[in-house]
Structures are given as structure tokens and as C-alpha cells.
């Protein structure tokens, strides 16, 4: 089945519909021959009159046979002039009387052939003055509209032309197109979902960023386990805390990585514990970049503690929040 579309000035594009529906709209007067239509396979919209043969709208009946076409049309009978109301019947009768008037005038009797011959013979035997008068008389008679005018064609009047307005057939108005219940529900859901999504994003995005930064920081601290092992071994061998200049250690910048700017070794001033200082970078967050984490080693208990100058403790691993 071929899907058809047509353009309506008040509704825009209407369709898809099949060919039978297009023919029905055309017969009902909803679309005209200049209405733009389109179907699958056409490159562009075209007037309906270009496709009327394809839709069967331009088919006309074959001509009548000569013997039937030459037969005179039957005279209208008073029974055909009946209308649904008295007012329509009176209008139709008046129209028939008006149509019959020219015919009665055109059918006035004309002089017969024998009378014309006798008149011509009498005029030939008369005097010249009578001859002129007799010649003028036929000329005047010949110029009469009743004798020379051709008969008027009979006007065909249909009872429907004079029927009351309330009984005339009117084309049905085009159906109104509107939003369906599902479309309205989707619009309401979309309008309500936008603020909800915004609220969820405002809550979830910072929490996700904090989780990502804690994971990165935990990975950087895990890489410092090797440094803690070196400090403990050095203290056990020399009974003092190492620094970056001690044997087996390197300058602070040599320990740099994607998340660590430098690693310094030494002793804390207050408690005297051996310490490792980690300077952070690469987090793209002012609360972390440039901040420091201290890992302190107590030789008496052989335990490590963690502290930091990061103001927001929730960004640190649990072990470094005290």
C-alpha cells in the first residue's frame, strides 16, 4: 500500500493515508486540484492535478453513441421539481417559468412559404411606389428578433440548486490534530525530570570528585611504602634518621611522580621521630595541590603515623585524618 500525504493550510502536513482516502477527500471537497501532495517515490511535493490519472481522479466516461447523442433530451416534468420544503418548490417552479420564457418568444410563428410567394407576386405587379413600400415591409419583418434570432438553449435546473440551505450537502470539516495522552505525559515527565537531574548532579558530582581524589591520594601513599622500609633499615643500621644526602637516598626532586612533586627525608623538630615529607601535585584542585603529608617513624615502637596540612580531612585516607 502506498502512503500519501497532503498539505492543509490550517493543519500542515496530513498523512500517511492511502489512495482511497485521497480520493474520498477530493470528492468531499477537503482537497482541491491545486493541493500539494506527496507519496513515496516522488522527489518533491506536486499539485494533485499532476497525479490525478494515477489516483483515478481524471478518468472521464467514453463519448455516447451517435444515435443516442442526437436524440433530444426529455423535457423536465413537474415531478422532478419537487423539493423538501414549500419554499424550495416555489423557487424551483419560478426558475422553470423563467427558463421557458425565452423559448416561448423564440417559437413565435413565422410566415409560411406559400404566403411569402404570394406576397412577392403581388409586390411585382404593383406601382414603383408600392414596390418600394412592399420591399420595405419584408425588410422590416426580416429584422424582427423573433424571426431571425436562433432558439435559446434550454437551461438545465437542478432541484438541489433551490433546496434550503439546511438540506444541502456540506463537506465535513477536516479532523483536528492534537497531542495524544502519551505525548502530554512525556512532556510532563521531561519538565519534572530536568530539575531532579540537576539536583542529583549537584550532589553526585562533588561526591564523585572527592572519591576520585581519595583514590589517587591512597595510590600515592601506597607508593611510599618502599621509602618507609628504607628509613627503618637505615635507622636500624646507623641509629639515626636518614636525609636526602645519606647513603642510598637521592635528592627530593628525583622522587617526583605524577602525583608527588618531591620526597624529603629527615627528623621532626618536636618529637625527634624520623619523617618522610610528601608534596602533592597533579590533582587540579587547590585543596590538594602543593599540600604536604608527613609520615613519622617512632623507633621505640617501630610504628608509623600520618599527618597533613590539608584542611579538608575528607579528602585524605582514613589513616591520615587524625
Amino acid at each position: 500500500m502506498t502512503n500519501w500525504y497532503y498539505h492543509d493550510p490550517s493543519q500542515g502536513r496530513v498523512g500517511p493515508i492511502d489512495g482511497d482516502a485521497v480520493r474520498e477527500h477530493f470528492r468531499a471537497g477537503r482537497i482541491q486540484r491545486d493541493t500539494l501532495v506527496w507519496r513515496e517515490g516522488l522527489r518533491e511535493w506536486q499539485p494533485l492535478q499532476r497525479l490525478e490519472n494515477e489516483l483515478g481522479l481524471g478518468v472521464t466516461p467514453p463519448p455516447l453513441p451517435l444515435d443516442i447523442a442526437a436524440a433530444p433530451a426529455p423535457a423536465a416534468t413537474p415531478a422532478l421539481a419537487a423539493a423538501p420544503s414549500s419554499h424550495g418548490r416555489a423557487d424551483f417552479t419560478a426558475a422553470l417559468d423563467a427558463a421557458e420564457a425565452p423559448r416561448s418568444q423564440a417559437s413565435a410563428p413565422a410566415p409560411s412559404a406559400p404566403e411569402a410567394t404570394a406576397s412577392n407576386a403581388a409586390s411585382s405587379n404593383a406601382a414603383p411606389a408600392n414596390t418600394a413600400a412592399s420591399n420595405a415591409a419584408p425588410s422590416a419583418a426580416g429584422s424582427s428578433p423573433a424571426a431571425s434570432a436562433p432558439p435559446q438553449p434550454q437551461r438545465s435546473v437542478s432541484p438541489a440548486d433551490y433546496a434550503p440551505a439546511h438540506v444541502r450537502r456540506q463537506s465535513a470539516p477536516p479532523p483536528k490534530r492534537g497531542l495524544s495522552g502519551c505525548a502530554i505525559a512525556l512532556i510532563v515527565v521531561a519538565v519534572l525530570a530536568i530539575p531532579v537531574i540537576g539536583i542529583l548532579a549537584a550532589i553526585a558530582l562533588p561526591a564523585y570528585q572527592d572519591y576520585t581524589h581519595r583514590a589517587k591520594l591512597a595510590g600515592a601513599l601506597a607508593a611510599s611504602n618502599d621509602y618507609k622500609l628504607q628509613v627503618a633499615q637505615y635507622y636500624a643500621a646507623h641509629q639515626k634518621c636518614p636525609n636526602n644526602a645519606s647513603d642510598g637516598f637521592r635528592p627530593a626532586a628525583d622522587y617526583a611522580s605524577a602525583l608527588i612533586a618531591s620526597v624529603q627525608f629527615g627528623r621532626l623538630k618536636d618529637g625527634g621521630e624520623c619523617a618522610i615529607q610528601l608534596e602533592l601535585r597533579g590533582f587540579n584542585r587547590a585543596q590538594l595541590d602543593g599540600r604536604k603529608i608527613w609520615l613519622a617513624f617512632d623507633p621505640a615502637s617501630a610504628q608509623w603515623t600520618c599527618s597533613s596540612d590539608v584542611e579538608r580531612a575528607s579528602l585524605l585516607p582514613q589513616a591520615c585524618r587524625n
Side-chain angles (χ1 to χ4, degrees):
M1 181 183 69
T2 303
N3 292 327
W4 290 82
Y5 300 83
Y6 71 89
H7 176 263
D8 186 272
S10 61
Q11 304 179 43
R13 189 186 70 179
V14 179
I17 58 177
D18 56 9
D20 294 337
V22 175
R23 289 186 284 271
E24 177 62 24
H25 288 340
F26 176 76
R27 297 188 186 100
R30 302 188 189 102
I31 59 177
Q32 309 298 328
R33 294 185 180 274
D34 57 351
T35 301
L36 295 178
V37 297
W38 182 88
R39 62 163 174 78
E40 299 173 355
L42 294 179
R43 295 172 50 187
E44 58 185 7
W45 292 74
Q46 297 187 16
L48 179 61
Q49 61 184 359
R50 295 186 181 178
L51 303 171
E52 60 182 6
N53 291 334
E54 179 179 347
L55 291 168
L57 302 179
V59 177
T60 57
L64 293 171
L66 295 179
D67 53 349
I68 299 178
T77 60
L80 297 178
S85 66
S86 59
H87 178 70
R89 189 181 304 110
D91 291 344
F92 181 60
T93 304
L96 288 178
D97 295 339
E100 292 292 338
R103 296 180 56 190
S104 61
Q105 294 178 4
S107 60
S112 60
E115 293 176 356
T117 305
S119 175
N120 291 334
S123 61
S124 62
N125 297 325
N130 294 335
T131 302
S134 63
N135 291 335
S139 175
S143 61
S144 175
S148 60
Q152 297 291 335
Q154 183 179 1
R155 177 176 176 270
S156 177
V157 182
S158 173
D161 296 339
Y162 299 94
H166 67 276
V167 300
R168 295 178 185 174
R169 183 180 179 182
Q170 299 179 355
S171 59
K176 296 182 179 180
R177 297 172 60 89
L179 294 176
S180 62
C182 295
I184 295 175
L186 290 176
I187 293 175
V188 173
V189 171
V191 171
L192 296 178
I194 292 176
V196 174
I197 293 175
I199 294 173
L200 293 178
I203 297 174
L205 184 59
Y208 173 75
Q209 291 177 347
D210 292 348
Y211 171 80
T212 303
H213 292 157
R214 282 197 301 270
K216 290 182 179 180
L217 191 54
L221 293 176
S224 64
N225 291 333
D226 294 340
Y227 308 149
K228 292 192 290 185
L229 180 60
Q230 292 179 8
V231 170
Q233 292 176 351
Y234 187 89
Y235 186 86
H238 300 85
Q239 296 299 312
K240 64 177 182 179
C241 297
N243 55 38
N244 292 87
S246 300
D247 294 338
F249 295 88
R250 295 171 294 166
D254 291 351
Y255 294 93
S257 63
L259 301 176
I260 302 298
S262 62
V263 178
Q264 292 185 357
F265 299 90
R267 178 186 294 272
L268 294 178
K269 294 181 180 181
D270 297 335
E273 295 93 345
C274 298
I276 303 174
Q277 176 179 284
L278 306 176
E279 183 178 357
L280 303 178
R281 72 174 182 182
F283 291 89
N284 296 325
R285 191 166 183 175
Q287 296 174 336
L288 292 175
D289 290 340
R291 301 292 179 173
K292 298 178 179 60
I293 294 178
W294 296 284
L295 303 175
F297 175 69
D298 185 4
S301 61
Q303 298 293 328
W304 287 90
T305 59
C306 178
S307 60
S308 173
D309 63 351
V310 176
E311 296 180 357
R312 186 174 176 182
S314 61
L315 298 177
L316 296 170
Q318 188 66 35
C320 297
R321 295 182 180 181
N322 297 327

